[in-house]
Amino acid sequence: MMNNHTLVKEFILMGFPLGPDMRMFLLGLSSLLYAFTLMGNGVILGLISLEARLHTPMYFFLSHLALVDISYACNTVPQMLVNLLDPVKPISYAGCITQTLLFLTFALTECLLLVVMSYDRYVAICHPLRYPVIMSWRVCITLSLSSWVLGFLLALAHLILLLPLTLCSPQKINHFFCEILAILKLACADTHINEILVLAGAASVLVGPLSSIVISYMRILWAVLHIQSREGRQKAFSTCSSHLCVVGLFYGTAIIMYIGPEHGNPKGQKKYLLLFHSLFNPMLNPLIYSLRNNEVKGALKRMLGNRRPS
């Protein structure tokens, strides 16, 4: 046992148990989806910054969501691609801990941003006359910064509990990135308390905000049904349905991964689910907002029209 208590300097990410051909296929597919993620969210950021009609609180929060999605993908996907090319290439201890901190920060920040976005839609639809006062730019900046800061502090709290643990050899993480529960499996000591704290934190961060989103949308639905104008109802449903799709994708996969029962959900399946969460969610978010939002589609058409040679 004393030989196993060595100073950890690096880890080997086990990734996925695939043959060379499947590994190359996953490498090509992941690279393509990664490029689409960067391009799609980059287009959303560009449209919102350049189009004056999109300088509203809703699109201000959407720009932060796009920034989180880009950061989220950049934190996990490049290391996974390196691992697919060279399965035995190690990642340093500092790099692994940094990746864990950033993953938790971006995930928690996105969770909180989705709550802020639902509150914005609630105020816009249920209190339209007071909307400019309630959702002033000062309030919007405070809410967005609070989401980032609180996400980082919650992630840092989990990391502080992880760092004192002694890790045993061999330093092989059964995942495609440095996921916190996978790192805890390497600890020499009992990590039952740490795992309970991670799951309790996930439950509080996921269930609490999701409940507030559901309550907000119940009140929004009630308000929309009382809108007399058919065009007004369609516009409200259009903007809200985009946000609900993103909420469903994010919270659905996150709840299954961290709160769902272990039986019937083997670790391998959850690893693939987290791959979907890391690759597809950031890529689908800009598609959902662009395809289901007339203002974003209009801004994109105007930008493309201005670039055409006369």
Side-chain angles (χ1 to χ4, degrees):
M1 287 295 295
M2 289 301 294
N3 292 332
N4 287 338
H5 287 63
T6 56
L7 181 64
V8 177
K9 295 182 179 180
E10 58 186 27
F11 297 99
I12 298 292
L13 295 172
M14 301 298 291
F16 302 97
L18 302 172
D21 293 339
M22 282 301 298
R23 204 164 57 240
M24 289 300 103
F25 172 76
L26 184 59
L27 174 67
L29 179 62
S30 300
S31 301
L32 189 63
L33 295 177
Y34 180 52
F36 281 143
T37 296
L38 299 182
M39 183 176 65
N41 286 285
V43 167
I44 291 291
L45 283 172
L47 284 175
I48 293 173
S49 61
L50 296 175
E51 180 62 45
R53 300 182 190 183
L54 300 183
H55 292 173
T56 63
M58 184 178 87
Y59 295 106
F60 173 74
F61 295 129
L62 179 57
S63 67
H64 279 268
L65 183 65
L67 184 60
V68 169
D69 284 336
I70 290 174
S71 305
Y72 196 81
C74 289
N75 181 52
T76 56
V77 179
Q79 181 60 48
M80 185 188 73
L81 298 179
V82 170
N83 187 245
L84 287 171
L85 280 173
D86 185 2
V88 297
K89 185 176 178 61
I91 179 174
S92 67
Y93 177 83
C96 188
I97 294 301
T98 302
Q99 188 182 55
T100 303
L101 175 64
L102 292 177
F103 172 81
L104 291 173
T105 298
F106 298 140
L108 292 167
T109 300
E110 181 164 355
C111 179
L112 297 172
L113 278 174
L114 290 174
V115 177
V116 170
M117 293 173 75
S118 70
Y119 174 71
D120 171 71
R121 291 299 83 207
Y122 163 74
V123 176
I125 294 173
C126 297
H127 303 284
L129 298 179
R130 298 175 56 198
Y131 181 73
V133 177
I134 297 176
M135 299 302 295
S136 64
W137 282 113
R138 181 178 179 180
V139 171
C140 292
I141 293 171
T142 300
L143 289 173
S144 60
L145 286 179
S146 299
S147 299
W148 283 96
V149 172
L150 189 57
F152 173 76
L153 292 177
L154 290 172
L156 187 62
H158 284 296
L159 200 68
I160 290 173
L161 294 173
L162 174 67
L163 289 176
L165 294 176
T166 303
L167 304 180
C168 294
S169 298
Q171 288 86 37
K172 294 182 178 180
I173 299 176
N174 186 22
H175 221 293
F176 64 91
F177 77 104
C178 295
E179 197 265 342
I180 187 168
L181 291 178
I183 297 176
L184 287 175
K185 298 298 181 184
L186 302 180
C188 304
D190 182 20
T191 60
H192 188 63
I193 294 178
N194 296 77
E195 292 178 4
I196 289 176
L197 290 174
V198 170
L199 296 177
S204 61
V205 169
L206 291 173
V207 176
L210 182 59
S211 300
S212 66
I213 291 175
V214 170
I215 293 171
S216 296
Y217 272 97
M218 287 175 64
R219 301 189 69 174
I220 287 172
L221 179 61
W222 181 257
V224 168
L225 292 176
H226 286 78
I227 296 176
Q228 300 297 325
S229 168
R230 181 180 177 182
E231 183 181 350
R233 286 197 301 270
Q234 288 179 341
K235 184 177 180 181
F237 276 124
S238 175
T239 56
C240 292
S241 61
S242 300
H243 183 245
L244 280 175
C245 288
V246 173
V247 168
L249 281 171
F250 179 84
Y251 281 94
T253 52
I255 287 174
I256 293 173
M257 285 186 298
Y258 291 103
I259 304 179
E262 288 295 326
H263 62 275
N265 289 292
K267 297 296 183 184
Q269 290 184 12
K270 288 194 173 184
K271 193 192 301 184
Y272 284 102
L273 188 62
L274 191 50
L275 176 64
F276 173 88
H277 191 71
S278 301
L279 276 176
F280 284 90
N281 278 18
M283 183 194 71
L284 291 175
N285 287 353
L287 287 176
I288 291 171
Y289 276 104
S290 60
L291 293 177
R292 300 186 62 87
N293 191 299
N294 291 327
E295 291 179 330
V296 174
K297 287 191 289 186
L300 183 59
K301 289 178 182 178
R302 286 191 293 273
M303 177 176 288
L304 293 176
N306 290 337
R307 288 180 176 272
R308 289 178 182 173
S310 54

